[in-house]
Amino acid sequence: MAKRRTDGLSKEVIVQAAAAILDDGGEAALTFRALTARLSTGYGAIYHHVANKSDLLAAATDAVIARVVTGAVPEDEPREALRTVSLGLFDAIDAHPWVGAQLSREPWRPALLEIYERIGGLLIALDVPEQALFDAAGALVNYVLGVAGQNAANARLLAADEADRSAFLGDVATQWAAHDPEKYPFVHRAATRLREHDDREQFLAGVDIFLAGIATL
């Protein structure tokens, strides 16, 4: 019989354990049975702090996002802070793919509100006009979360297939290059960049394009 823990169980400890299970096996792996086993405790101790799996997923997502949105140095110039927050979100969702899914599933939860508040506040610091502020924040947040989520999904598919990213991109680039360059001139030119591009650098280049557009407002 497994030995029960005798120390106090906090919500923070429960959330950390849940995040570890999610990282290891995804959302399907997160059950209260798995959680009680990992924490060497009973169901009652967990239900004292969280109501259900949805509540647990939201709390774990809040914890990850909270670390990111507070990561930008307060003294940073707003544009650089926006790059820091955006890249932090990209890295966090890459490391914890379940975060991206949870953000899109329950957009009313605190995690997404924190993202909007942080990015919106930095856009205000950049003197974005009031009439353009909502659209600018929405466009940037949607870009960041959309690309980060897609990147994380692609990485998981490659991992499931045990495929090498370089080999996969090489195959796609070869197929792109095989198309008629007169009909697909851009695709033909992009094939060489596709093979060797860095997802993180490309993502940050996109953030800079958004910020350059926002600066014209």
Side-chain angles (χ1 to χ4, degrees):
M1 183 177 179
K3 185 177 180 180
R4 289 291 181 91
R5 65 189 300 146
T6 57
D7 59 321
L9 195 63
S10 66
K11 184 173 181 177
E12 182 180 6
V13 169
I14 294 171
V15 169
Q16 288 175 348
I21 293 172
L22 287 162
D23 288 343
D24 291 341
E27 289 186 31
L30 181 60
T31 64
F32 275 63
R33 180 185 294 274
L35 197 55
T36 56
R38 181 178 284 261
L39 292 170
S40 301
T41 190
Y43 289 95
I46 294 175
Y47 280 117
H48 179 71
H49 294 282
V50 291
N52 49 43
K53 181 174 177 176
S54 178
D55 189 29
L56 192 54
L57 271 166
T61 301
D62 290 346
V64 170
I65 296 304
R67 289 194 294 270
V68 175
V69 297
T70 57
V73 179
E75 291 77 18
D76 278 353
E77 185 270 331
R79 185 178 184 280
E80 192 57 38
L82 279 165
R83 295 175 89 249
T84 299
V85 171
S86 298
L87 195 57
L89 289 168
F90 180 89
D91 289 340
I93 293 174
D94 182 53
H96 313 286
W98 47 272
V99 168
Q102 174 64 17
L103 286 171
S104 63
R105 184 185 301 119
E106 298 183 326
W108 56 86
R109 294 280 192 172
L112 191 58
L113 300 182
E114 290 294 333
I115 292 171
Y116 267 106
E117 190 61 38
R118 186 71 167 120
I119 287 178
L122 290 168
L123 291 176
I124 291 172
L126 281 176
D127 295 324
V128 174
E130 185 67 31
Q131 66 270 21
L133 189 60
F134 176 77
D135 291 335
L140 184 54
V141 169
N142 286 331
Y143 168 77
V144 169
L145 298 185
V147 174
Q150 187 60 58
N151 178 76
N154 291 343
R156 292 185 73 180
L157 284 174
L158 287 175
D161 293 339
E162 298 184 350
D164 175 77
R165 178 181 180 277
S166 297
F168 173 78
L169 290 179
D171 289 342
V172 175
T174 298
Q175 294 181 48
W176 281 22
H179 287 289
D180 182 356
E182 292 188 4
K183 185 176 181 180
Y184 299 103
F186 171 77
V187 169
H188 209 264
R189 293 173 65 177
T192 55
R193 293 292 302 274
L194 176 67
R195 190 185 305 270
E196 299 176 355
H197 84 281
D198 180 275
D199 292 329
R200 211 163 172 267
E201 290 180 1
Q202 186 182 47
F203 167 78
L204 199 52
V207 172
D208 287 339
I209 290 170
F210 267 91
L211 293 179
I214 288 171
T216 68
L217 298 174

